[in-house]
mmCIF file of all heavy atoms in Angstrom:
data_model
loop_
_atom_site.group_PDB
_atom_site.id
_atom_site.type_symbol
_atom_site.label_atom_id
_atom_site.label_comp_id
_atom_site.label_asym_id
_atom_site.label_seq_id
_atom_site.Cartn_x
_atom_site.Cartn_y
_atom_site.Cartn_z
ATOM 1 N N GLU Y 179 146.638 114.258 52.942
ATOM 2 C CA GLU Y 179 146.015 113.656 54.121
ATOM 3 C C GLU Y 179 145.028 112.559 53.718
ATOM 4 O O GLU Y 179 145.030 111.457 54.274
ATOM 5 C CB GLU Y 179 145.297 114.723 54.947
ATOM 6 C CG GLU Y 179 144.635 114.163 56.188
ATOM 7 C CD GLU Y 179 143.913 115.215 57.003
ATOM 8 O OE1 GLU Y 179 143.339 116.166 56.411
ATOM 9 O OE2 GLU Y 179 143.923 115.092 58.238
ATOM 10 N N ALA Y 180 144.206 112.848 52.732
ATOM 11 C CA ALA Y 180 143.182 111.892 52.307
ATOM 12 C C ALA Y 180 143.800 110.619 51.741
ATOM 13 O O ALA Y 180 143.300 109.514 52.013
ATOM 14 C CB ALA Y 180 142.247 112.534 51.287
ATOM 15 N N THR Y 181 144.872 110.740 50.983
ATOM 16 C CA THR Y 181 145.455 109.539 50.387
ATOM 17 C C THR Y 181 146.122 108.654 51.430
ATOM 18 O O THR Y 181 146.202 107.445 51.269
ATOM 19 C CB THR Y 181 146.415 109.874 49.226
ATOM 20 O OG1 THR Y 181 146.588 108.703 48.432
ATOM 21 C CG2 THR Y 181 147.771 110.369 49.712
ATOM 22 N N ARG Y 182 146.569 109.243 52.517
ATOM 23 C CA ARG Y 182 147.101 108.427 53.623
ATOM 24 C C ARG Y 182 145.947 107.801 54.414
ATOM 25 O O ARG Y 182 145.956 106.607 54.693
ATOM 26 C CB ARG Y 182 147.972 109.277 54.552
ATOM 27 C CG ARG Y 182 149.309 109.646 53.962
ATOM 28 C CD ARG Y 182 150.248 108.451 53.820
ATOM 29 N NE ARG Y 182 150.358 107.774 55.103
ATOM 30 C CZ ARG Y 182 150.278 106.444 55.276
ATOM 31 N NH1 ARG Y 182 150.102 105.648 54.246
ATOM 32 N NH2 ARG Y 182 150.364 105.912 56.481
ATOM 33 N N LEU Y 183 144.952 108.598 54.763
ATOM 34 C CA LEU Y 183 143.823 108.106 55.552
ATOM 35 C C LEU Y 183 143.038 107.020 54.830
ATOM 36 O O LEU Y 183 142.685 106.005 55.424
ATOM 37 C CB LEU Y 183 142.867 109.254 55.891
ATOM 38 C CG LEU Y 183 143.305 110.249 56.948
ATOM 39 C CD1 LEU Y 183 142.338 111.423 56.989
ATOM 40 C CD2 LEU Y 183 143.413 109.583 58.320
ATOM 41 N N HIS Y 184 142.757 107.226 53.558
ATOM 42 C CA HIS Y 184 141.841 106.363 52.818
ATOM 43 C C HIS Y 184 142.529 105.315 51.952
ATOM 44 O O HIS Y 184 141.982 104.226 51.775
ATOM 45 C CB HIS Y 184 140.924 107.194 51.924
ATOM 46 C CG HIS Y 184 140.049 108.132 52.691
ATOM 47 N ND1 HIS Y 184 139.058 108.859 52.075
ATOM 48 C CD2 HIS Y 184 139.998 108.480 53.988
ATOM 49 C CE1 HIS Y 184 138.441 109.608 52.969
ATOM 50 N NE2 HIS Y 184 139.004 109.385 54.146
ATOM 51 N N ASN Y 185 143.674 105.650 51.363
ATOM 52 C CA ASN Y 185 144.327 104.761 50.396
ATOM 53 C C ASN Y 185 145.586 104.101 50.925
ATOM 54 O O ASN Y 185 146.183 103.283 50.230
ATOM 55 C CB ASN Y 185 144.686 105.521 49.111
ATOM 56 C CG ASN Y 185 143.556 106.349 48.575
ATOM 57 O OD1 ASN Y 185 143.684 107.567 48.446
ATOM 58 N ND2 ASN Y 185 142.432 105.711 48.267
ATOM 59 N N ASP Y 186 146.036 104.502 52.112
ATOM 60 C CA ASP Y 186 147.294 104.004 52.670
ATOM 61 C C ASP Y 186 148.418 104.148 51.644
ATOM 62 O O ASP Y 186 149.243 103.243 51.460
ATOM 63 C CB ASP Y 186 147.150 102.548 53.140
ATOM 64 C CG ASP Y 186 148.262 102.116 54.086
ATOM 65 O OD1 ASP Y 186 148.963 102.996 54.643
ATOM 66 O OD2 ASP Y 186 148.439 100.900 54.269
ATOM 67 N N ALA Y 187 148.442 105.284 50.942
ATOM 68 C CA ALA Y 187 149.474 105.530 49.939
ATOM 69 C C ALA Y 187 150.843 105.446 50.599
ATOM 70 O O ALA Y 187 151.044 105.933 51.709
ATOM 71 C CB ALA Y 187 149.284 106.895 49.291
ATOM 72 N N ASN Y 188 151.781 104.800 49.898
ATOM 73 C CA ASN Y 188 153.125 104.683 50.446
ATOM 74 C C ASN Y 188 154.146 105.541 49.712
ATOM 75 O O ASN Y 188 155.308 105.599 50.122
ATOM 76 C CB ASN Y 188 153.566 103.220 50.546
ATOM 77 C CG ASN Y 188 153.299 102.412 49.304
ATOM 78 O OD1 ASN Y 188 153.094 102.957 48.216
ATOM 79 N ND2 ASN Y 188 153.288 101.099 49.456
ATOM 80 N N ILE Y 189 153.720 106.200 48.654
ATOM 81 C CA ILE Y 189 154.584 107.153 47.960
ATOM 82 C C ILE Y 189 153.795 108.424 47.664
ATOM 83 O O ILE Y 189 152.686 108.374 47.139
ATOM 84 C CB ILE Y 189 155.147 106.590 46.642
ATOM 85 C CG1 ILE Y 189 156.077 105.398 46.914
ATOM 86 C CG2 ILE Y 189 155.896 107.676 45.862
ATOM 87 C CD1 ILE Y 189 156.683 104.772 45.667
ATOM 88 N N LEU Y 190 154.404 109.544 47.994
ATOM 89 C CA LEU Y 190 153.899 110.868 47.633
ATOM 90 C C LEU Y 190 154.631 111.308 46.380
ATOM 91 O O LEU Y 190 155.867 111.264 46.323
ATOM 92 C CB LEU Y 190 154.194 111.861 48.771
ATOM 93 C CG LEU Y 190 154.043 113.343 48.448
ATOM 94 C CD1 LEU Y 190 152.595 113.697 48.140
ATOM 95 C CD2 LEU Y 190 154.589 114.180 49.593
ATOM 96 N N ALA Y 191 153.894 111.725 45.370
ATOM 97 C CA ALA Y 191 154.495 112.285 44.164
ATOM 98 C C ALA Y 191 154.060 113.736 44.041
ATOM 99 O O ALA Y 191 152.904 114.075 44.315
ATOM 100 C CB ALA Y 191 154.070 111.492 42.928
ATOM 101 N N MET Y 192 155.009 114.578 43.654
ATOM 102 C CA MET Y 192 154.721 116.005 43.481
ATOM 103 C C MET Y 192 155.356 116.506 42.203
ATOM 104 O O MET Y 192 156.342 115.949 41.716
ATOM 105 C CB MET Y 192 155.259 116.812 44.668
ATOM 106 C CG MET Y 192 154.604 116.502 45.985
ATOM 107 S SD MET Y 192 155.168 117.599 47.323
ATOM 108 C CE MET Y 192 156.873 117.056 47.510
ATOM 109 N N GLY Y 193 154.791 117.606 41.709
ATOM 110 C CA GLY Y 193 155.316 118.244 40.519
ATOM 111 C C GLY Y 193 156.065 119.512 40.869
ATOM 112 O O GLY Y 193 155.495 120.429 41.453
ATOM 113 N N ALA Y 194 157.330 119.564 40.501
ATOM 114 C CA ALA Y 194 158.147 120.744 40.780
ATOM 115 C C ALA Y 194 157.673 121.955 39.988
ATOM 116 O O ALA Y 194 157.945 123.090 40.378
ATOM 117 C CB ALA Y 194 159.615 120.456 40.460
ATOM 118 N N ARG Y 195 156.960 121.716 38.895
ATOM 119 C CA ARG Y 195 156.408 122.817 38.106
ATOM 120 C C ARG Y 195 154.999 123.168 38.557
ATOM 121 O O ARG Y 195 154.354 124.032 37.966
ATOM 122 C CB ARG Y 195 156.414 122.443 36.625
ATOM 123 C CG ARG Y 195 157.819 122.234 36.081
ATOM 124 C CD ARG Y 195 157.813 121.791 34.639
ATOM 125 N NE ARG Y 195 159.183 121.597 34.188
ATOM 126 C CZ ARG Y 195 159.577 120.635 33.365
ATOM 127 N NH1 ARG Y 195 158.675 119.765 32.902
ATOM 128 N NH2 ARG Y 195 160.828 120.519 33.003
ATOM 129 N N VAL Y 196 154.527 122.495 39.617
ATOM 130 C CA VAL Y 196 153.166 122.679 40.110
ATOM 131 C C VAL Y 196 153.157 123.327 41.493
ATOM 132 O O VAL Y 196 152.343 124.202 41.759
ATOM 133 C CB VAL Y 196 152.414 121.322 40.152
ATOM 134 C CG1 VAL Y 196 151.009 121.485 40.693
ATOM 135 C CG2 VAL Y 196 152.397 120.679 38.768
ATOM 136 N N VAL Y 197 154.040 122.872 42.379
ATOM 137 C CA VAL Y 197 154.093 123.394 43.746
ATOM 138 C C VAL Y 197 155.468 123.985 44.036
ATOM 139 O O VAL Y 197 156.479 123.489 43.536
ATOM 140 C CB VAL Y 197 153.757 122.312 44.799
ATOM 141 C CG1 VAL Y 197 152.356 121.781 44.604
ATOM 142 C CG2 VAL Y 197 154.766 121.184 44.791
ATOM 143 N N GLY Y 198 155.493 125.024 44.835
ATOM 144 C CA GLY Y 198 156.742 125.622 45.271
ATOM 145 C C GLY Y 198 157.254 124.938 46.526
ATOM 146 O O GLY Y 198 156.564 124.117 47.132
ATOM 147 N N PRO Y 199 158.458 125.303 46.958
ATOM 148 C CA PRO Y 199 159.074 124.645 48.109
ATOM 149 C C PRO Y 199 158.270 124.751 49.406
ATOM 150 O O PRO Y 199 158.185 123.775 50.154
ATOM 151 C CB PRO Y 199 160.421 125.345 48.262
ATOM 152 C CG PRO Y 199 160.684 126.000 46.962
ATOM 153 C CD PRO Y 199 159.357 126.273 46.333
ATOM 154 N N GLY Y 200 157.695 125.900 49.693
ATOM 155 C CA GLY Y 200 156.939 126.061 50.932
ATOM 156 C C GLY Y 200 155.758 125.131 50.996
ATOM 157 O O GLY Y 200 155.551 124.417 51.993
ATOM 158 N N LEU Y 201 154.958 125.111 49.940
ATOM 159 C CA LEU Y 201 153.805 124.217 49.894
ATOM 160 C C LEU Y 201 154.254 122.768 49.857
ATOM 161 O O LEU Y 201 153.674 121.913 50.524
ATOM 162 C CB LEU Y 201 152.914 124.541 48.688
ATOM 163 C CG LEU Y 201 151.694 123.645 48.488
ATOM 164 C CD1 LEU Y 201 150.802 123.613 49.733
ATOM 165 C CD2 LEU Y 201 150.909 124.090 47.257
ATOM 166 N N ALA Y 202 155.293 122.474 49.091
ATOM 167 C CA ALA Y 202 155.785 121.095 49.006
ATOM 168 C C ALA Y 202 156.140 120.560 50.387
ATOM 169 O O ALA Y 202 155.784 119.429 50.729
ATOM 170 C CB ALA Y 202 156.988 121.015 48.074
ATOM 171 N N ASN Y 203 156.810 121.350 51.191
ATOM 172 C CA ASN Y 203 157.196 120.893 52.526
ATOM 173 C C ASN Y 203 155.983 120.682 53.428
ATOM 174 O O ASN Y 203 155.961 119.758 54.239
ATOM 175 C CB ASN Y 203 158.197 121.855 53.158
ATOM 176 C CG ASN Y 203 159.557 121.760 52.494
ATOM 177 O OD1 ASN Y 203 159.924 120.738 51.936
ATOM 178 N ND2 ASN Y 203 160.317 122.837 52.563
ATOM 179 N N LYS Y 204 154.953 121.496 53.270
ATOM 180 C CA LYS Y 204 153.720 121.278 54.033
ATOM 181 C C LYS Y 204 153.024 119.991 53.591
ATOM 182 O O LYS Y 204 152.489 119.250 54.412
ATOM 183 C CB LYS Y 204 152.777 122.472 53.870
ATOM 184 C CG LYS Y 204 153.251 123.721 54.585
ATOM 185 C CD LYS Y 204 152.315 124.888 54.349
ATOM 186 C CE LYS Y 204 152.866 126.135 55.009
ATOM 187 N NZ LYS Y 204 152.044 127.319 54.723
ATOM 188 N N ILE Y 205 153.034 119.737 52.289
ATOM 189 C CA ILE Y 205 152.449 118.501 51.759
ATOM 190 C C ILE Y 205 153.229 117.297 52.287
ATOM 191 O O ILE Y 205 152.638 116.301 52.718
ATOM 192 C CB ILE Y 205 152.418 118.526 50.215
ATOM 193 C CG1 ILE Y 205 151.451 119.606 49.711
ATOM 194 C CG2 ILE Y 205 152.048 117.155 49.655
ATOM 195 C CD1 ILE Y 205 151.566 119.891 48.223
ATOM 196 N N VAL Y 206 154.550 117.388 52.278
ATOM 197 C CA VAL Y 206 155.400 116.316 52.808
ATOM 198 C C VAL Y 206 155.059 116.047 54.272
ATOM 199 O O VAL Y 206 154.874 114.905 54.684
ATOM 200 C CB VAL Y 206 156.891 116.656 52.631
ATOM 201 C CG1 VAL Y 206 157.781 115.757 53.480
ATOM 202 C CG2 VAL Y 206 157.284 116.577 51.164
ATOM 203 N N ASP Y 207 154.975 117.112 55.070
ATOM 204 C CA ASP Y 207 154.649 116.949 56.490
ATOM 205 C C ASP Y 207 153.307 116.255 56.677
ATOM 206 O O ASP Y 207 153.174 115.337 57.490
ATOM 207 C CB ASP Y 207 154.620 118.306 57.202
ATOM 208 C CG ASP Y 207 156.004 118.897 57.401
ATOM 209 O OD1 ASP Y 207 157.009 118.173 57.249
ATOM 210 O OD2 ASP Y 207 156.073 120.105 57.705
ATOM 211 N N THR Y 208 152.320 116.691 55.923
ATOM 212 C CA THR Y 208 150.984 116.097 56.028
ATOM 213 C C THR Y 208 151.031 114.621 55.656
ATOM 214 O O THR Y 208 150.474 113.772 56.366
ATOM 215 C CB THR Y 208 149.986 116.850 55.130
ATOM 216 O OG1 THR Y 208 149.964 118.226 55.516
ATOM 217 C CG2 THR Y 208 148.591 116.263 55.238
ATOM 218 N N PHE Y 209 151.695 114.298 54.572
ATOM 219 C CA PHE Y 209 151.803 112.914 54.107
ATOM 220 C C PHE Y 209 152.517 112.048 55.144
ATOM 221 O O PHE Y 209 152.053 110.954 55.475
ATOM 222 C CB PHE Y 209 152.547 112.865 52.766
ATOM 223 C CG PHE Y 209 152.653 111.497 52.171
ATOM 224 C CD1 PHE Y 209 151.606 110.948 51.465
ATOM 225 C CD2 PHE Y 209 153.814 110.760 52.315
ATOM 226 C CE1 PHE Y 209 151.702 109.673 50.914
ATOM 227 C CE2 PHE Y 209 153.931 109.491 51.770
ATOM 228 C CZ PHE Y 209 152.872 108.941 51.069
ATOM 229 N N LEU Y 210 153.622 112.523 55.675
ATOM 230 C CA LEU Y 210 154.409 111.727 56.613
ATOM 231 C C LEU Y 210 153.760 111.612 57.986
ATOM 232 O O LEU Y 210 153.934 110.610 58.677
ATOM 233 C CB LEU Y 210 155.818 112.305 56.747
ATOM 234 C CG LEU Y 210 156.681 112.258 55.484
ATOM 235 C CD1 LEU Y 210 158.016 112.928 55.750
ATOM 236 C CD2 LEU Y 210 156.872 110.823 54.994
ATOM 237 N N ASP Y 211 153.023 112.624 58.391
ATOM 238 C CA ASP Y 211 152.448 112.657 59.738
ATOM 239 C C ASP Y 211 151.053 112.030 59.829
ATOM 240 O O ASP Y 211 150.520 111.894 60.926
ATOM 241 C CB ASP Y 211 152.390 114.094 60.257
ATOM 242 C CG ASP Y 211 153.777 114.701 60.435
ATOM 243 O OD1 ASP Y 211 154.766 113.942 60.486
ATOM 244 O OD2 ASP Y 211 153.871 115.938 60.514
ATOM 245 N N THR Y 212 150.474 111.650 58.709
ATOM 246 C CA THR Y 212 149.129 111.066 58.696
ATOM 247 C C THR Y 212 149.230 109.554 58.561
ATOM 248 O O THR Y 212 149.907 109.050 57.669
ATOM 249 C CB THR Y 212 148.292 111.638 57.529
ATOM 250 O OG1 THR Y 212 148.257 113.056 57.628
ATOM 251 C CG2 THR Y 212 146.877 111.081 57.547
ATOM 252 N N GLU Y 213 148.561 108.855 59.453
ATOM 253 C CA GLU Y 213 148.541 107.393 59.412
ATOM 254 C C GLU Y 213 147.279 106.920 58.685
ATOM 255 O O GLU Y 213 146.277 107.630 58.634
ATOM 256 C CB GLU Y 213 148.574 106.820 60.823
ATOM 257 C CG GLU Y 213 149.880 107.094 61.564
ATOM 258 C CD GLU Y 213 151.097 106.493 60.888
ATOM 259 O OE1 GLU Y 213 150.986 105.396 60.311
ATOM 260 O OE2 GLU Y 213 152.167 107.133 60.928
ATOM 261 N N PHE Y 214 147.331 105.714 58.168
ATOM 262 C CA PHE Y 214 146.177 105.078 57.546
ATOM 263 C C PHE Y 214 145.082 104.924 58.596
ATOM 264 O O PHE Y 214 145.355 104.518 59.728
ATOM 265 C CB PHE Y 214 146.579 103.721 56.975
ATOM 266 C CG PHE Y 214 145.462 102.942 56.342
ATOM 267 C CD1 PHE Y 214 144.644 103.509 55.379
ATOM 268 C CD2 PHE Y 214 145.239 101.630 56.692
ATOM 269 C CE1 PHE Y 214 143.622 102.791 54.778
ATOM 270 C CE2 PHE Y 214 144.229 100.885 56.102
ATOM 271 C CZ PHE Y 214 143.428 101.473 55.143
ATOM 272 N N SER Y 215 143.856 105.238 58.230
ATOM 273 C CA SER Y 215 142.755 105.212 59.193
ATOM 274 C C SER Y 215 142.426 103.804 59.682
ATOM 275 O O SER Y 215 141.971 103.630 60.806
ATOM 276 C CB SER Y 215 141.495 105.841 58.588
ATOM 277 O OG SER Y 215 140.958 104.996 57.585
ATOM 278 N N GLY Y 216 142.618 102.814 58.819
ATOM 279 C CA GLY Y 216 142.290 101.447 59.190
ATOM 280 C C GLY Y 216 140.801 101.152 59.197
ATOM 281 O O GLY Y 216 140.390 100.041 59.535
ATOM 282 N N VAL Y 217 139.985 102.139 58.832
ATOM 283 C CA VAL Y 217 138.538 101.936 58.766
ATOM 284 C C VAL Y 217 138.271 100.797 57.785
ATOM 285 O O VAL Y 217 138.879 100.725 56.709
ATOM 286 C CB VAL Y 217 137.826 103.237 58.326
ATOM 287 C CG1 VAL Y 217 136.355 103.003 58.058
ATOM 288 C CG2 VAL Y 217 138.035 104.326 59.366
ATOM 289 N N GLU Y 218 137.351 99.914 58.145
ATOM 290 C CA GLU Y 218 137.108 98.690 57.372
ATOM 291 C C GLU Y 218 136.863 98.958 55.882
ATOM 292 O O GLU Y 218 137.413 98.265 55.033
ATOM 293 C CB GLU Y 218 135.948 97.888 57.969
ATOM 294 C CG GLU Y 218 135.655 96.598 57.231
ATOM 295 C CD GLU Y 218 136.862 95.665 57.101
ATOM 296 O OE1 GLU Y 218 137.671 95.584 58.052
ATOM 297 O OE2 GLU Y 218 137.013 95.033 56.036
ATOM 298 N N ARG Y 219 136.037 99.944 55.554
ATOM 299 C CA ARG Y 219 135.748 100.172 54.125
ATOM 300 C C ARG Y 219 137.010 100.603 53.375
ATOM 301 O O ARG Y 219 137.205 100.227 52.220
ATOM 302 C CB ARG Y 219 134.610 101.174 53.946
ATOM 303 C CG ARG Y 219 134.930 102.609 54.272
ATOM 304 C CD ARG Y 219 133.713 103.520 54.013
ATOM 305 N NE ARG Y 219 134.015 104.903 54.283
ATOM 306 C CZ ARG Y 219 133.940 105.485 55.474
ATOM 307 N NH1 ARG Y 219 133.569 104.779 56.522
ATOM 308 N NH2 ARG Y 219 134.240 106.759 55.613
ATOM 309 N N HIS Y 220 137.884 101.355 54.022
ATOM 310 C CA HIS Y 220 139.134 101.776 53.369
ATOM 311 C C HIS Y 220 140.101 100.595 53.256
ATOM 312 O O HIS Y 220 140.764 100.433 52.230
ATOM 313 C CB HIS Y 220 139.764 102.940 54.125
ATOM 314 C CG HIS Y 220 138.902 104.158 54.160
ATOM 315 N ND1 HIS Y 220 138.336 104.714 53.030
ATOM 316 C CD2 HIS Y 220 138.499 104.927 55.194
ATOM 317 C CE1 HIS Y 220 137.621 105.766 53.364
ATOM 318 N NE2 HIS Y 220 137.697 105.918 54.675
ATOM 319 N N LYS Y 221 140.168 99.787 54.290
ATOM 320 C CA LYS Y 221 141.023 98.600 54.253
ATOM 321 C C LYS Y 221 140.566 97.665 53.141
ATOM 322 O O LYS Y 221 141.383 97.141 52.382
ATOM 323 C CB LYS Y 221 141.007 97.888 55.599
ATOM 324 C CG LYS Y 221 141.945 96.707 55.671
ATOM 325 C CD LYS Y 221 141.914 96.050 57.030
ATOM 326 C CE LYS Y 221 142.796 94.845 57.114
ATOM 327 N NZ LYS Y 221 142.898 94.016 55.954
#
């Protein structure tokens, strides 16, 4: 969420040896459903 809000990240990277499928899908949802905040300091 933070990397979308603050950094306008356009790629999510995950480690298959770090997160399992359930958590990975929640991370994907959060990344895809969060828009860049557009706040001036972040822009």
Side-chain angles (χ1 to χ4, degrees):
E179 180 180 35
T181 199
R182 287 291 307 134
L183 286 171
H184 298 187
N185 312 120
D186 197 17
N188 47 19
I189 295 180
L190 166 65
M192 295 186 292
R195 297 177 181 143
V196 179
V197 299
L201 178 56
N203 288 334
K204 289 178 183 176
I205 293 168
V206 165
D207 287 346
T208 302
F209 183 81
L210 295 177
D211 295 342
T212 304
E213 294 299 325
F214 178 52
S215 71
V217 172
E218 181 55 37
R219 72 178 182 275
H220 298 309
K221 184 179 178 324

